[in-house]
Amino acid sequence: MVSNEDIQKIINALKLYSTYDFTNYSERSFARRVDKILSDNSMTATQLSLLLSKDDAFLEKIVKDITVNTTELFRDVQTWITLKYQILPKLKQNKSIFIWHAGCSSGQEVYSMLILLNELEMLDQAKVFATDINTDMLAKAKSGIYKYRFNLGYLDSFDKVIKQNPYNYEDIKDVPYDKYFDINKEKDTIEMKPFLRDKIVFRKHDLVNDGNIFYSKFDLILCRNVIIYFNNQLQHEVIKLFSDNLYRDGHLVLGAHESILDPSSLGFERTKGLYKKKYNE
Ligand SMILES: C[S@@+](CC[C@H](N)C(=O)[O-])C[C@H]1O[C@@H](n2cnc3c(N)ncnc32)[C@H](O)[C@@H]1O
């Protein structure tokens, strides 16, 4: 495994030659990514740092390689069931519903939200913003095209969230997949419908530096499976950013294995596995 000194060398080079600051990423997962990058490029940390100082395109590529982009349609079904039955219906009377997906990766989480909103007849009111640090992932998200065979599990999760009702097994809604996406088995693709794609505002955004770039507060912020890569200090700063930019009674949705250490100190109350903004400090 790469040494702490080498890790520091790379973090310093990135900081010096770009705006990216990985100082407060969790050490273990950052070291694993750097290890892989060094072995894929057959380089030492010193060689890598030198190239980062000279080649902007290489630097951007390395930043993309550092990020972990795994995602799915309706990832963690239970979270979507909570949103469907407990959280979203309470927003139905709002004239507008502001939603921010921070760390959206290739967009499956955002499309899951739009499909659910449409089923709840709430899509027209929704203003949906999606951000990520990785522009390759944002391009994929904008295209809304995913592999089909590799992602057969998407259909199962769609059925569980959209067609079935866990509180009443006899209540099954017949929602065809092609209401929302086209499956092309020959091309091996799932392609989201334009009426979903066109609804999303995608922007490059770095949670370490950029704050709220949307000049709006939010009813719902999803930042799932992102802060797991940050240390406690950065987690605290990012959660504070979300707290400052949620409306009272707005919700923050983290990943299934993520939590806030002391939610009340940041104005949150944990409820049904999500975080509800209670008051402004
Ligand atoms: C594992 S994916 C999570 C995708 C999706 N939210 C989900 O749960 O399925 C983590 C995403 O966080 C993004 N990310 C990492 N550091 C970031 C930062 N400082 N600012 C914004 N996004 C970041 C990565 O590029 C990656 O796409």
PDB file of all heavy atoms in Angstrom, residues 106-137:
ATOM      1  N   SER A 106     -23.610   8.982 -12.388  1.00  0.00           N
ATOM      2  CA  SER A 106     -24.132   8.878 -13.758  1.00  0.00           C
ATOM      3  C   SER A 106     -25.655   9.040 -13.844  1.00  0.00           C
ATOM      4  O   SER A 106     -26.249   8.752 -14.885  1.00  0.00           O
ATOM      5  CB  SER A 106     -23.687   7.561 -14.390  1.00  0.00           C
ATOM      6  OG  SER A 106     -23.770   6.511 -13.469  1.00  0.00           O
ATOM      7  N   GLY A 107     -26.295   9.472 -12.758  1.00  0.00           N
ATOM      8  CA  GLY A 107     -27.661   9.972 -12.863  1.00  0.00           C
ATOM      9  C   GLY A 107     -28.802   9.030 -12.521  1.00  0.00           C
ATOM     10  O   GLY A 107     -29.955   9.472 -12.445  1.00  0.00           O
ATOM     11  N   GLN A 108     -28.497   7.746 -12.277  1.00  0.00           N
ATOM     12  CA  GLN A 108     -29.613   6.819 -12.034  1.00  0.00           C
ATOM     13  C   GLN A 108     -30.481   7.237 -10.846  1.00  0.00           C
ATOM     14  O   GLN A 108     -31.704   7.054 -10.864  1.00  0.00           O
ATOM     15  CB  GLN A 108     -29.070   5.387 -11.796  1.00  0.00           C
ATOM     16  CG  GLN A 108     -28.528   4.728 -13.041  1.00  0.00           C
ATOM     17  CD  GLN A 108     -27.057   5.012 -13.293  1.00  0.00           C
ATOM     18  OE1 GLN A 108     -26.561   6.091 -12.985  1.00  0.00           O
ATOM     19  NE2 GLN A 108     -26.371   4.060 -13.881  1.00  0.00           N
ATOM     20  N   GLU A 109     -29.838   7.806  -9.821  1.00  0.00           N
ATOM     21  CA  GLU A 109     -30.606   8.261  -8.649  1.00  0.00           C
ATOM     22  C   GLU A 109     -31.599   9.371  -9.032  1.00  0.00           C
ATOM     23  O   GLU A 109     -32.731   9.407  -8.555  1.00  0.00           O
ATOM     24  CB  GLU A 109     -29.613   8.778  -7.600  1.00  0.00           C
ATOM     25  CG  GLU A 109     -30.232   9.369  -6.374  1.00  0.00           C
ATOM     26  CD  GLU A 109     -29.161   9.985  -5.477  1.00  0.00           C
ATOM     27  OE1 GLU A 109     -28.395   9.220  -4.849  1.00  0.00           O
ATOM     28  OE2 GLU A 109     -29.070  11.234  -5.424  1.00  0.00           O
ATOM     29  N   VAL A 110     -31.167  10.249  -9.927  1.00  0.00           N
ATOM     30  CA  VAL A 110     -32.021  11.372 -10.325  1.00  0.00           C
ATOM     31  C   VAL A 110     -33.202  10.848 -11.153  1.00  0.00           C
ATOM     32  O   VAL A 110     -34.348  11.277 -10.956  1.00  0.00           O
ATOM     33  CB  VAL A 110     -31.214  12.413 -11.139  1.00  0.00           C
ATOM     34  CG1 VAL A 110     -31.984  13.720 -11.206  1.00  0.00           C
ATOM     35  CG2 VAL A 110     -29.832  12.625 -10.561  1.00  0.00           C
ATOM     36  N   TYR A 111     -32.935   9.926 -12.067  1.00  0.00           N
ATOM     37  CA  TYR A 111     -34.039   9.357 -12.861  1.00  0.00           C
ATOM     38  C   TYR A 111     -35.009   8.584 -11.966  1.00  0.00           C
ATOM     39  O   TYR A 111     -36.219   8.613 -12.198  1.00  0.00           O
ATOM     40  CB  TYR A 111     -33.490   8.479 -13.997  1.00  0.00           C
ATOM     41  CG  TYR A 111     -32.803   9.312 -15.056  1.00  0.00           C
ATOM     42  CD1 TYR A 111     -31.418   9.309 -15.203  1.00  0.00           C
ATOM     43  CD2 TYR A 111     -33.547  10.152 -15.882  1.00  0.00           C
ATOM     44  CE1 TYR A 111     -30.794  10.115 -16.154  1.00  0.00           C
ATOM     45  CE2 TYR A 111     -32.933  10.955 -16.837  1.00  0.00           C
ATOM     46  CZ  TYR A 111     -31.557  10.931 -16.963  1.00  0.00           C
ATOM     47  OH  TYR A 111     -30.950  11.736 -17.894  1.00  0.00           O
ATOM     48  N   SER A 112     -34.483   7.913 -10.941  1.00  0.00           N
ATOM     49  CA  SER A 112     -35.380   7.206 -10.007  1.00  0.00           C
ATOM     50  C   SER A 112     -36.345   8.205  -9.378  1.00  0.00           C
ATOM     51  O   SER A 112     -37.548   7.952  -9.268  1.00  0.00           O
ATOM     52  CB  SER A 112     -34.576   6.540  -8.878  1.00  0.00           C
ATOM     53  OG  SER A 112     -33.531   5.766  -9.390  1.00  0.00           O
ATOM     54  N   MET A 113     -35.795   9.348  -8.965  1.00  0.00           N
ATOM     55  CA  MET A 113     -36.625  10.376  -8.321  1.00  0.00           C
ATOM     56  C   MET A 113     -37.692  10.893  -9.286  1.00  0.00           C
ATOM     57  O   MET A 113     -38.867  11.031  -8.927  1.00  0.00           O
ATOM     58  CB  MET A 113     -35.725  11.526  -7.845  1.00  0.00           C
ATOM     59  CG  MET A 113     -36.476  12.678  -7.223  1.00  0.00           C
ATOM     60  SD  MET A 113     -37.421  12.224  -5.760  1.00  0.00           S
ATOM     61  CE  MET A 113     -36.126  12.192  -4.534  1.00  0.00           C
ATOM     62  N   LEU A 114     -37.297  11.157 -10.535  1.00  0.00           N
ATOM     63  CA  LEU A 114     -38.265  11.711 -11.496  1.00  0.00           C
ATOM     64  C   LEU A 114     -39.384  10.711 -11.795  1.00  0.00           C
ATOM     65  O   LEU A 114     -40.554  11.097 -11.918  1.00  0.00           O
ATOM     66  CB  LEU A 114     -37.548  12.092 -12.789  1.00  0.00           C
ATOM     67  CG  LEU A 114     -36.525  13.235 -12.683  1.00  0.00           C
ATOM     68  CD1 LEU A 114     -35.994  13.592 -14.048  1.00  0.00           C
ATOM     69  CD2 LEU A 114     -37.106  14.462 -12.024  1.00  0.00           C
ATOM     70  N   ILE A 115     -39.021   9.451 -11.910  1.00  0.00           N
ATOM     71  CA  ILE A 115     -40.035   8.418 -12.180  1.00  0.00           C
ATOM     72  C   ILE A 115     -41.033   8.382 -11.010  1.00  0.00           C
ATOM     73  O   ILE A 115     -42.257   8.375 -11.208  1.00  0.00           O
ATOM     74  CB  ILE A 115     -39.353   7.035 -12.393  1.00  0.00           C
ATOM     75  CG1 ILE A 115     -38.547   7.041 -13.698  1.00  0.00           C
ATOM     76  CG2 ILE A 115     -40.386   5.911 -12.381  1.00  0.00           C
ATOM     77  CD1 ILE A 115     -37.636   5.829 -13.890  1.00  0.00           C
ATOM     78  N   LEU A 116     -40.484   8.386  -9.796  1.00  0.00           N
ATOM     79  CA  LEU A 116     -41.354   8.343  -8.614  1.00  0.00           C
ATOM     80  C   LEU A 116     -42.243   9.588  -8.549  1.00  0.00           C
ATOM     81  O   LEU A 116     -43.453   9.488  -8.300  1.00  0.00           O
ATOM     82  CB  LEU A 116     -40.475   8.222  -7.360  1.00  0.00           C
ATOM     83  CG  LEU A 116     -41.191   8.054  -6.036  1.00  0.00           C
ATOM     84  CD1 LEU A 116     -42.192   6.903  -6.081  1.00  0.00           C
ATOM     85  CD2 LEU A 116     -40.176   7.813  -4.913  1.00  0.00           C
ATOM     86  N   LEU A 117     -41.656  10.746  -8.802  1.00  0.00           N
ATOM     87  CA  LEU A 117     -42.450  11.988  -8.778  1.00  0.00           C
ATOM     88  C   LEU A 117     -43.571  11.919  -9.810  1.00  0.00           C
ATOM     89  O   LEU A 117     -44.705  12.333  -9.556  1.00  0.00           O
ATOM     90  CB  LEU A 117     -41.557  13.198  -9.077  1.00  0.00           C
ATOM     91  CG  LEU A 117     -40.617  13.641  -7.941  1.00  0.00           C
ATOM     92  CD1 LEU A 117     -39.578  14.612  -8.476  1.00  0.00           C
ATOM     93  CD2 LEU A 117     -41.400  14.265  -6.789  1.00  0.00           C
ATOM     94  N   ASN A 118     -43.264  11.394 -10.978  1.00  0.00           N
ATOM     95  CA  ASN A 118     -44.293  11.316 -12.023  1.00  0.00           C
ATOM     96  C   ASN A 118     -45.427  10.382 -11.603  1.00  0.00           C
ATOM     97  O   ASN A 118     -46.604  10.682 -11.810  1.00  0.00           O
ATOM     98  CB  ASN A 118     -43.669  10.856 -13.340  1.00  0.00           C
ATOM     99  CG  ASN A 118     -44.578  11.142 -14.510  1.00  0.00           C
ATOM    100  OD1 ASN A 118     -44.996  12.284 -14.687  1.00  0.00           O
ATOM    101  ND2 ASN A 118     -44.926  10.128 -15.286  1.00  0.00           N
ATOM    102  N   GLU A 119     -45.059   9.250 -10.985  1.00  0.00           N
ATOM    103  CA  GLU A 119     -46.095   8.324 -10.515  1.00  0.00           C
ATOM    104  C   GLU A 119     -46.978   8.973  -9.446  1.00  0.00           C
ATOM    105  O   GLU A 119     -48.153   8.652  -9.320  1.00  0.00           O
ATOM    106  CB  GLU A 119     -45.465   7.041  -9.963  1.00  0.00           C
ATOM    107  CG  GLU A 119     -44.960   6.116 -11.051  1.00  0.00           C
ATOM    108  CD  GLU A 119     -46.036   5.732 -12.062  1.00  0.00           C
ATOM    109  OE1 GLU A 119     -47.101   5.246 -11.654  1.00  0.00           O
ATOM    110  OE2 GLU A 119     -45.807   5.930 -13.275  1.00  0.00           O
ATOM    111  N   LEU A 120     -46.390   9.893  -8.675  1.00  0.00           N
ATOM    112  CA  LEU A 120     -47.153  10.572  -7.619  1.00  0.00           C
ATOM    113  C   LEU A 120     -47.831  11.843  -8.142  1.00  0.00           C
ATOM    114  O   LEU A 120     -48.380  12.624  -7.366  1.00  0.00           O
ATOM    115  CB  LEU A 120     -46.230  10.926  -6.444  1.00  0.00           C
ATOM    116  CG  LEU A 120     -45.585   9.735  -5.713  1.00  0.00           C
ATOM    117  CD1 LEU A 120     -44.569  10.206  -4.679  1.00  0.00           C
ATOM    118  CD2 LEU A 120     -46.640   8.855  -5.052  1.00  0.00           C
ATOM    119  N   GLU A 121     -47.727  12.050  -9.471  1.00  0.00           N
ATOM    120  CA  GLU A 121     -48.288  13.252 -10.122  1.00  0.00           C
ATOM    121  C   GLU A 121     -47.723  14.531  -9.511  1.00  0.00           C
ATOM    122  O   GLU A 121     -48.441  15.490  -9.226  1.00  0.00           O
ATOM    123  CB  GLU A 121     -49.824  13.228 -10.074  1.00  0.00           C
ATOM    124  CG  GLU A 121     -50.357  12.043 -10.839  1.00  0.00           C
ATOM    125  CD  GLU A 121     -51.867  11.908 -10.754  1.00  0.00           C
ATOM    126  OE1 GLU A 121     -52.515  12.733 -10.096  1.00  0.00           O
ATOM    127  OE2 GLU A 121     -52.392  10.960 -11.364  1.00  0.00           O
ATOM    128  N   MET A 122     -46.407  14.536  -9.322  1.00  0.00           N
ATOM    129  CA  MET A 122     -45.734  15.699  -8.726  1.00  0.00           C
ATOM    130  C   MET A 122     -44.594  16.207  -9.612  1.00  0.00           C
ATOM    131  O   MET A 122     -43.816  17.056  -9.178  1.00  0.00           O
ATOM    132  CB  MET A 122     -45.161  15.321  -7.346  1.00  0.00           C
ATOM    133  CG  MET A 122     -46.213  14.961  -6.325  1.00  0.00           C
ATOM    134  SD  MET A 122     -45.494  14.236  -4.833  1.00  0.00           S
ATOM    135  CE  MET A 122     -44.631  15.626  -4.159  1.00  0.00           C
ATOM    136  N   LEU A 123     -44.489  15.678 -10.808  1.00  0.00           N
ATOM    137  CA  LEU A 123     -43.319  16.026 -11.625  1.00  0.00           C
ATOM    138  C   LEU A 123     -43.321  17.492 -12.059  1.00  0.00           C
ATOM    139  O   LEU A 123     -42.279  18.138 -12.071  1.00  0.00           O
ATOM    140  CB  LEU A 123     -43.250  15.106 -12.857  1.00  0.00           C
ATOM    141  CG  LEU A 123     -41.946  15.179 -13.649  1.00  0.00           C
ATOM    142  CD1 LEU A 123     -40.752  14.759 -12.801  1.00  0.00           C
ATOM    143  CD2 LEU A 123     -42.004  14.301 -14.900  1.00  0.00           C
ATOM    144  N   ASP A 124     -44.505  18.015 -12.388  1.00  0.00           N
ATOM    145  CA  ASP A 124     -44.556  19.390 -12.899  1.00  0.00           C
ATOM    146  C   ASP A 124     -44.057  20.415 -11.883  1.00  0.00           C
ATOM    147  O   ASP A 124     -43.432  21.399 -12.246  1.00  0.00           O
ATOM    148  CB  ASP A 124     -45.991  19.754 -13.313  1.00  0.00           C
ATOM    149  CG  ASP A 124     -46.378  19.013 -14.586  1.00  0.00           C
ATOM    150  OD1 ASP A 124     -45.460  18.463 -15.238  1.00  0.00           O
ATOM    151  OD2 ASP A 124     -47.579  18.976 -14.915  1.00  0.00           O
ATOM    152  N   GLN A 125     -44.339  20.173 -10.609  1.00  0.00           N
ATOM    153  CA  GLN A 125     -43.922  21.144  -9.575  1.00  0.00           C
ATOM    154  C   GLN A 125     -42.430  21.052  -9.270  1.00  0.00           C
ATOM    155  O   GLN A 125     -41.874  21.940  -8.644  1.00  0.00           O
ATOM    156  CB  GLN A 125     -44.593  20.826  -8.232  1.00  0.00           C
ATOM    157  CG  GLN A 125     -46.056  20.838  -8.169  1.00  0.00           C
ATOM    158  CD  GLN A 125     -46.548  19.617  -7.392  1.00  0.00           C
ATOM    159  OE1 GLN A 125     -46.767  18.555  -7.977  1.00  0.00           O
ATOM    160  NE2 GLN A 125     -46.737  19.759  -6.085  1.00  0.00           N
ATOM    161  N   ALA A 126     -41.804  19.949  -9.667  1.00  0.00           N
ATOM    162  CA  ALA A 126     -40.438  19.684  -9.190  1.00  0.00           C
ATOM    163  C   ALA A 126     -39.383  20.455  -9.972  1.00  0.00           C
ATOM    164  O   ALA A 126     -39.456  20.556 -11.199  1.00  0.00           O
ATOM    165  CB  ALA A 126     -40.163  18.181  -9.289  1.00  0.00           C
ATOM    166  N   LYS A 127     -38.432  21.043  -9.242  1.00  0.00           N
ATOM    167  CA  LYS A 127     -37.243  21.659  -9.842  1.00  0.00           C
ATOM    168  C   LYS A 127     -36.079  20.786  -9.383  1.00  0.00           C
ATOM    169  O   LYS A 127     -35.779  20.747  -8.177  1.00  0.00           O
ATOM    170  CB  LYS A 127     -37.028  23.084  -9.330  1.00  0.00           C
ATOM    171  CG  LYS A 127     -38.285  23.921  -9.256  1.00  0.00           C
ATOM    172  CD  LYS A 127     -38.622  24.531 -10.598  1.00  0.00           C
ATOM    173  CE  LYS A 127     -39.938  25.304 -10.533  1.00  0.00           C
ATOM    174  NZ  LYS A 127     -40.759  25.165 -11.717  1.00  0.00           N
ATOM    175  N   VAL A 128     -35.474  20.113 -10.329  1.00  0.00           N
ATOM    176  CA  VAL A 128     -34.495  19.093  -9.945  1.00  0.00           C
ATOM    177  C   VAL A 128     -33.092  19.470 -10.404  1.00  0.00           C
ATOM    178  O   VAL A 128     -32.853  19.668 -11.595  1.00  0.00           O
ATOM    179  CB  VAL A 128     -34.908  17.711 -10.530  1.00  0.00           C
ATOM    180  CG1 VAL A 128     -33.923  16.639 -10.121  1.00  0.00           C
ATOM    181  CG2 VAL A 128     -36.315  17.347 -10.062  1.00  0.00           C
ATOM    182  N   PHE A 129     -32.175  19.569  -9.436  1.00  0.00           N
ATOM    183  CA  PHE A 129     -30.784  19.949  -9.701  1.00  0.00           C
ATOM    184  C   PHE A 129     -29.889  18.755  -9.346  1.00  0.00           C
ATOM    185  O   PHE A 129     -30.117  18.110  -8.326  1.00  0.00           O
ATOM    186  CB  PHE A 129     -30.396  21.151  -8.843  1.00  0.00           C
ATOM    187  CG  PHE A 129     -31.296  22.336  -9.061  1.00  0.00           C
ATOM    188  CD1 PHE A 129     -32.469  22.490  -8.332  1.00  0.00           C
ATOM    189  CD2 PHE A 129     -30.992  23.293 -10.013  1.00  0.00           C
ATOM    190  CE1 PHE A 129     -33.318  23.576  -8.537  1.00  0.00           C
ATOM    191  CE2 PHE A 129     -31.831  24.382 -10.224  1.00  0.00           C
ATOM    192  CZ  PHE A 129     -32.996  24.520  -9.488  1.00  0.00           C
ATOM    193  N   ALA A 130     -28.894  18.513 -10.201  1.00  0.00           N
ATOM    194  CA  ALA A 130     -28.023  17.366  -9.939  1.00  0.00           C
ATOM    195  C   ALA A 130     -26.582  17.759 -10.203  1.00  0.00           C
ATOM    196  O   ALA A 130     -26.270  18.355 -11.240  1.00  0.00           O
ATOM    197  CB  ALA A 130     -28.433  16.191 -10.827  1.00  0.00           C
ATOM    198  N   THR A 131     -25.710  17.428  -9.246  1.00  0.00           N
ATOM    199  CA  THR A 131     -24.317  17.871  -9.355  1.00  0.00           C
ATOM    200  C   THR A 131     -23.351  16.728  -9.080  1.00  0.00           C
ATOM    201  O   THR A 131     -23.680  15.757  -8.378  1.00  0.00           O
ATOM    202  CB  THR A 131     -24.022  18.992  -8.333  1.00  0.00           C
ATOM    203  OG1 THR A 131     -24.281  18.511  -7.016  1.00  0.00           O
ATOM    204  CG2 THR A 131     -24.862  20.226  -8.598  1.00  0.00           C
ATOM    205  N   ASP A 132     -22.163  16.881  -9.620  1.00  0.00           N
ATOM    206  CA  ASP A 132     -21.073  15.957  -9.317  1.00  0.00           C
ATOM    207  C   ASP A 132     -19.758  16.645  -9.655  1.00  0.00           C
ATOM    208  O   ASP A 132     -19.734  17.572 -10.473  1.00  0.00           O
ATOM    209  CB  ASP A 132     -21.217  14.652 -10.125  1.00  0.00           C
ATOM    210  CG  ASP A 132     -20.496  13.488  -9.464  1.00  0.00           C
ATOM    211  OD1 ASP A 132     -19.258  13.399  -9.619  1.00  0.00           O
ATOM    212  OD2 ASP A 132     -21.145  12.677  -8.776  1.00  0.00           O
ATOM    213  N   ILE A 133     -18.693  16.158  -9.062  1.00  0.00           N
ATOM    214  CA  ILE A 133     -17.359  16.699  -9.338  1.00  0.00           C
ATOM    215  C   ILE A 133     -16.803  16.122 -10.653  1.00  0.00           C
ATOM    216  O   ILE A 133     -15.924  16.700 -11.276  1.00  0.00           O
ATOM    217  CB  ILE A 133     -16.416  16.347  -8.141  1.00  0.00           C
ATOM    218  CG1 ILE A 133     -15.164  17.205  -8.130  1.00  0.00           C
ATOM    219  CG2 ILE A 133     -16.065  14.879  -8.120  1.00  0.00           C
ATOM    220  CD1 ILE A 133     -14.305  17.004  -6.872  1.00  0.00           C
ATOM    221  N   ASN A 134     -17.356  14.970 -11.062  1.00  0.00           N
ATOM    222  CA  ASN A 134     -16.794  14.223 -12.194  1.00  0.00           C
ATOM    223  C   ASN A 134     -17.599  14.508 -13.476  1.00  0.00           C
ATOM    224  O   ASN A 134     -18.748  14.068 -13.615  1.00  0.00           O
ATOM    225  CB  ASN A 134     -16.833  12.726 -11.831  1.00  0.00           C
ATOM    226  CG  ASN A 134     -16.186  11.858 -12.884  1.00  0.00           C
ATOM    227  OD1 ASN A 134     -16.205  12.183 -14.072  1.00  0.00           O
ATOM    228  ND2 ASN A 134     -15.626  10.743 -12.458  1.00  0.00           N
ATOM    229  N   THR A 135     -16.996  15.236 -14.417  1.00  0.00           N
ATOM    230  CA  THR A 135     -17.747  15.663 -15.613  1.00  0.00           C
ATOM    231  C   THR A 135     -18.030  14.498 -16.570  1.00  0.00           C
ATOM    232  O   THR A 135     -18.989  14.563 -17.338  1.00  0.00           O
ATOM    233  CB  THR A 135     -16.994  16.782 -16.371  1.00  0.00           C
ATOM    234  OG1 THR A 135     -15.646  16.373 -16.562  1.00  0.00           O
ATOM    235  CG2 THR A 135     -17.027  18.089 -15.612  1.00  0.00           C
ATOM    236  N   ASP A 136     -17.223  13.438 -16.535  1.00  0.00           N
ATOM    237  CA  ASP A 136     -17.549  12.264 -17.369  1.00  0.00           C
ATOM    238  C   ASP A 136     -18.866  11.645 -16.898  1.00  0.00           C
ATOM    239  O   ASP A 136     -19.715  11.226 -17.697  1.00  0.00           O
ATOM    240  CB  ASP A 136     -16.459  11.188 -17.272  1.00  0.00           C
ATOM    241  CG  ASP A 136     -15.198  11.583 -18.025  1.00  0.00           C
ATOM    242  OD1 ASP A 136     -15.213  12.653 -18.670  1.00  0.00           O
ATOM    243  OD2 ASP A 136     -14.203  10.843 -17.951  1.00  0.00           O
ATOM    244  N   MET A 137     -19.025  11.589 -15.571  1.00  0.00           N
ATOM    245  CA  MET A 137     -20.266  11.020 -15.018  1.00  0.00           C
ATOM    246  C   MET A 137     -21.459  11.911 -15.343  1.00  0.00           C
ATOM    247  O   MET A 137     -22.541  11.431 -15.662  1.00  0.00           O
ATOM    248  CB  MET A 137     -20.134  10.850 -13.491  1.00  0.00           C
ATOM    249  CG  MET A 137     -19.243   9.730 -13.099  1.00  0.00           C
ATOM    250  SD  MET A 137     -19.765   8.151 -13.832  1.00  0.00           S
ATOM    251  CE  MET A 137     -18.311   7.718 -14.737  1.00  0.00           C
TER     252      MET A 137
END
